[in-house]
Amino acid sequence: MCALVFLGASLVGSLLLRTQMVEDSFAITDVQQSIGRLTQDVQEDQTKLDALEASLPEKAQKLGMVPGSDALTIDLQGYKPSEGASASKSAAKTQASQSAKSTAKSTAKASATANATKNTTPNTKENQ
């Protein structure tokens, strides 16, 4: 009797396992087809992009643009600014610092004024 129960349970388990494997195989096939379609879409989009890039110089020329010259690089290794440049840098830093302080002061005044206005203005809903 135990052997028949074991055999029956094994048979049912085997059928369930096979059913699950078949379902998984269909799911894998669907995913592979989806990947194929997406790969094809990417290739088509890349082809469109390549065509647009190829037509870009012509479109730019029609708009009156001209090709740029070769890139220019400057080697600053070993560069030391002259004394005049250092003085103008210091003046620029001082001016920027003064401007920041002035902005901070005016912001603080505006904030204080806004707070004072809020505190003195009666709420219209309470007055009704």
Side-chain angles (χ1 to χ4, degrees):
M1 179 73 173
C2 277
L4 288 176
V5 172
F6 179 73
L7 184 60
S10 296
L11 183 60
V12 170
S14 174
L15 287 173
L16 289 174
L17 185 60
R18 178 145 172 84
T19 304
Q20 186 62 46
M21 288 174 53
V22 169
E23 287 177 9
D24 289 346
S25 108
F26 282 121
I28 288 171
T29 303
D30 288 342
V31 168
Q32 287 174 340
Q33 289 174 351
S34 177
I35 289 172
R37 285 190 302 268
L38 292 172
T39 301
Q40 187 176 7
D41 290 346
V42 167
Q43 289 173 347
E44 290 173 1
D45 290 344
Q46 186 63 45
T47 303
K48 289 177 187 176
L49 179 62
D50 291 342
L52 288 172
E53 286 178 346
S55 68
L56 189 60
E58 180 184 317
K59 290 179 181 179
Q61 191 174 25
K62 285 181 181 178
L63 292 172
M65 300 174 91
V66 294
S69 61
D70 292 336
L72 178 67
T73 57
I74 300 173
D75 182 17
L76 295 178
Q77 191 171 15
Y79 172 75
K80 294 181 183 172
S82 63
E83 289 182 27
S86 295
S88 65
K89 253 188 198 179
S90 297
K93 284 182 180 178
T94 303
Q95 184 179 6
S97 174
Q98 290 173 351
S99 175
K101 287 178 184 176
S102 171
T103 302
K105 286 180 182 178
S106 62
T107 302
K109 286 181 183 177
S111 178
T113 303
N115 285 339
T117 303
K118 285 181 184 176
N119 291 337
T120 59
T121 304
N123 191 346
T124 55
K125 288 183 179 176
E126 291 176 3
N127 291 340
Q128 291 178 355

